[in-house]
Amino acid sequence: MKTRIALAAVVAASCLSATCLTGPALAETSSKKIALSNNYAGNSWRQAMLKSWATVTSKAVADGVVADAAAFTTAENQATEQAAQIQNLILQGYDAIVVNAASPTALNGAVKEACDAGVTVVSFDGIVTEPCAWRVAVDFRKMGEIQVDYLAKRFPEGGNLLEIRGLAGVFVDDEIHKGIEDGVKKHPQFKIVSSVHGDWAQEVAQKAVAGVLPTLPEIKAVVTQGGDGYGAAQAFKGAGREVPTIIMGNRHDELLWWKDQKEATGYETMSVSIAPGVGTLAFWVAQQILDGKEVPKDLIVPFLSVEQDTLDERLAQTEKGGVTNVEYTLTDAQAVISGAK
């Protein structure tokens, strides 16, 4: 865990360095077109991801690194709609498609069509399992497991847990859930007494938690996936119940609420999520593949954690309404690629 946090800090620091502004000489991919295929934009993380993509890729286009880097988001979180979108991007002549996928398997047919047409496909966050594609992700399973590890240190006696999951059927949701289950197996003094889907959105999470609270026993802690912590806190408050320890997901509203509670009562928790800027890393990975570089099919990047003693610093760095973030550079991508070989 300490190693992952240290790696995240190094990457974050790199964006304050001179290499973030200049970097090495850029490759000759100036005629290439890279598209983003995104399946969902209904929460702050996805909005931050799209904003980071626009920030980084617009500069890459202006600098002549690539010719185009447009982003496309489907109207519904449906694999069939995203598959049709990918097929359209093939017809539009994109050289690479960066995909945040609605399903790890349901898009494989469209992804294989892209590969067969000579299109590079790089998936991230919501990855795909088609062997011809590349995958850029954090260890989401570990991200779930460390939540229960943290709670075991805080509450050795254990207790009842409420789990808030993300979007049903998406790779990220499944993996974090598996990690939480791993943590409970390792620390059997904890028991998941209820599980709801919050879709990584605080309004959805608040409604889902409020719906089950009347039937639940005392809850020691809430394990989450990000974007749901503040909503959970409001649901407990609205029900007139003591707010338990809620694992947060690096959203501004969560961190601000945590800070207020910390100052008022000494409230303690932790926060963990993947940086929305991981899409910019996937962009640079696609650019490096188009430039002929040898890139391993699976790349793992660190997740970002916020601890009790780093809360104020991270909150100050997080845009209002946004998510604690890192926007990756070509230098960062080259380092990740080299580290995976």
Side-chain angles (χ1 to χ4, degrees):
M1 175 61 183
K2 289 182 179 178
T3 301
R4 288 183 176 274
I5 295 173
L7 283 170
V10 168
V11 171
S14 75
C15 284
L16 300 177
S17 70
T19 60
C20 211
L21 299 175
T22 58
L26 295 172
E28 261 311 313
T29 51
S30 58
S31 64
K32 302 296 185 180
K33 300 197 303 178
I34 301 175
L36 169 63
S37 170
N38 176 48
N39 70 303
Y40 177 74
N43 60 35
S44 58
W45 193 95
R46 291 299 180 106
Q47 291 296 320
M49 182 267 288
L50 291 168
K51 184 175 180 180
S52 288
W53 175 274
T55 297
V56 170
T57 64
S58 62
K59 187 176 187 304
V61 172
D63 291 345
V65 182
V66 293
D68 185 22
F72 301 88
T73 298
T74 56
E76 302 289 339
N77 178 37
Q78 298 292 333
T80 51
E81 184 183 7
Q82 192 173 17
Q85 180 191 75
I86 291 171
Q87 290 165 341
N88 285 335
L89 294 174
I90 298 169
L91 294 175
Q92 291 175 40
Y94 280 93
D95 300 285
I97 303 173
V98 175
V99 181
N100 196 339
S103 164
T105 56
L107 294 180
N108 283 349
V111 169
K112 185 64 164 57
E113 285 182 43
C115 294
D116 289 346
V119 179
T120 294
V121 178
V122 178
S123 62
F124 74 99
D125 187 39
I127 60 173
V128 297
T129 57
E130 166 54 48
C132 73
W134 281 260
R135 285 157 290 277
V136 178
V138 303
D139 188 343
F140 288 110
R141 191 160 180 163
K142 177 61 69 173
M143 206 168 90
E145 183 180 352
I146 66 165
Q147 296 185 43
V148 188
D149 289 342
Y150 166 80
L151 293 172
K153 292 179 182 177
R154 286 279 312 281
F155 309 111
E157 73 283 5
N160 295 323
L161 303 180
L162 168 62
E163 179 188 16
I164 306 178
R165 298 186 59 170
L167 278 171
V170 176
F171 166 81
V172 177
D173 170 63
D174 290 338
E175 287 299 296
I176 296 176
H177 170 68
K178 290 175 184 176
I180 289 170
E181 288 187 323
D182 291 342
V184 171
K185 288 177 183 176
K186 186 164 55 170
H187 306 289
Q189 66 269 37
F190 290 98
K191 179 183 179 182
I192 297 174
V193 295
S194 185
S195 180
V196 298
H197 281 275
D199 294 358
W200 305 314
Q202 73 96 351
E203 297 90 349
V204 178
Q206 181 174 346
K207 183 177 180 180
V209 173
V212 298
L213 272 182
T215 66
L216 297 185
E218 179 186 355
I219 299 297
K220 179 66 73 172
V222 181
V223 287
T224 66
Q225 295 197 5
D228 35 32
Y230 180 75
Q234 296 309 301
F236 275 88
K237 181 180 178 181
R241 295 183 57 156
E242 181 179 354
V243 180
T245 296
I246 302 172
I247 305 297
M248 301 298 177
N250 294 2
R251 276 62 170 176
H252 183 270
D253 56 3
E254 297 176 323
L255 300 183
L256 183 60
W257 181 88
W258 175 11
K259 177 179 169 65
D260 289 343
Q261 304 311 304
K262 175 185 174 184
E263 293 175 350
T265 66
Y267 186 88
E268 293 184 42
T269 188
M270 67 165 290
S271 184
V272 61
S273 184
I274 182 174
V278 68
T280 64
L281 179 63
F283 165 78
W284 287 117
V285 168
Q287 186 269 339
Q288 287 290 279
I289 297 167
L290 292 176
D291 192 44
K293 301 299 190 296
E294 182 182 343
V295 178
K297 289 288 187 177
D298 292 281
L299 301 172
I300 301 297
V301 294
F303 43 74
L304 292 178
S305 296
V306 182
E307 313 295 342
Q308 197 79 357
D309 59 353
T310 61
L311 171 58
D312 291 349
E313 178 186 359
R314 287 297 192 187
L315 178 58
Q317 297 168 352
T318 305
E319 182 180 353
K320 184 177 180 180
V323 187
T324 305
N325 199 9
V326 172
E327 289 173 351
Y328 294 85
T329 67
L330 174 59
T331 303
D332 295 328
Q334 290 169 334
V336 170
I337 292 167
S338 296
K341 290 180 179 178

